[in-house]
Amino acid sequence: GENVEQHPSTLSVQEGDSAVIKCTYSDSASNYFPWYKQELGKRPQLIIDIRSNVGEKKDQRIAVTLNKTAKHFSLHITETQPEDSAVYFCAASIAGGTSYGKLTFGQGTILTVHP
Amino acid sequence: KAGVTQTPRYLIKTRGQQVTLSCSPISGHRSVSWYQQTPGQGLQFLFEYFSETQRNKGNFPGRFSGRQFSNSRSEMNVSTLELGDSALYLCASSLGQGDRGYTFGSGTRLTVV
């Protein structure tokens, strides 16, 4: 089955710096890649997603890039703020067949933004 | 519009008991997926229901089961609880195409003692 590896497990940056989190996936059939932010004691919230027919997507300070050949995708956060501190999860999914509804998650990255 | 609602928020059960968790998806969403979140294993997929049919199942023992009703609400049942079942159980709702955003509920924190 699909396997998603996420790095780094912890990331500490100064306010205003950029943060990059990287994920690799194993199943070349994966075609949907969402990123979730989970604050302590709260539910995971979708912050950005990308489909396999797109190489890059941006939403204000957040961007995601996808390299299908290398089977990896990355989250980029620019001008980080203390409120960006949370656990970030990448995930991969195969839309269709018997794989509906199944997101395979990375292990998470604890991002800490220091004021 | 209302988000995904999970009840109860917290549960404490004894080993050997069974438990039922509930998830009401966003209005119009026909797909409900369930996940177990633990510090050691992260987020793991349990199963997915769409229009009352289970379309996909993860690698969990048969003690974990679910169902979906005609109004798209879903329940998850765990029988013969073990200490290792202590976790945050999250459900996520979506339209069901598999390539759109999944919206998570706030979860049910289950503690087995």
Side-chain angles (χ1 to χ4, degrees), chain A residues 35-109:
Chain A
W35 286 88
Y36 286 86
K37 173 185 180 183
Q38 187 175 29
E39 296 175 75
L40 192 62
K42 297 192 175 181
R43 65 185 179 94
Q45 288 194 292
L46 179 68
I47 56 172
I48 196 166
D49 57 8
I50 192 167
R51 294 173 184 76
S52 59
N53 59 346
V54 176
E56 184 174 357
K57 183 177 179 180
K58 189 173 182 180
D59 183 4
Q60 298 182 355
R61 298 185 296 109
I62 295 173
V64 57
T65 58
L66 171 65
N67 183 327
K68 285 189 296 182
T69 303
K71 290 190 283 187
H72 69 68
F73 56 113
S74 301
L75 178 71
H76 305 253
I77 306 174
T78 59
E79 300 170 24
T80 54
Q81 301 165 3
E83 51 265 38
D84 293 329
S85 296
V87 181
Y88 290 80
F89 293 95
C90 64
S93 173
I94 303 170
T98 59
S99 298
Y100 280 111
K102 179 180 180 180
L103 292 173
T104 301
F105 284 89
Q107 287 299 305
T109 296

Side-chain angles (χ1 to χ4, degrees), chain B residues 5 16 33 48 51 59 75 79 88 92 100 107 110:
Chain B
T5 303
S33 303
E48 187 256 6
S51 292
N59 297 321
E75 288 182 347
S79 63
L88 179 66
R100 307 292 166 90
L110 172 64

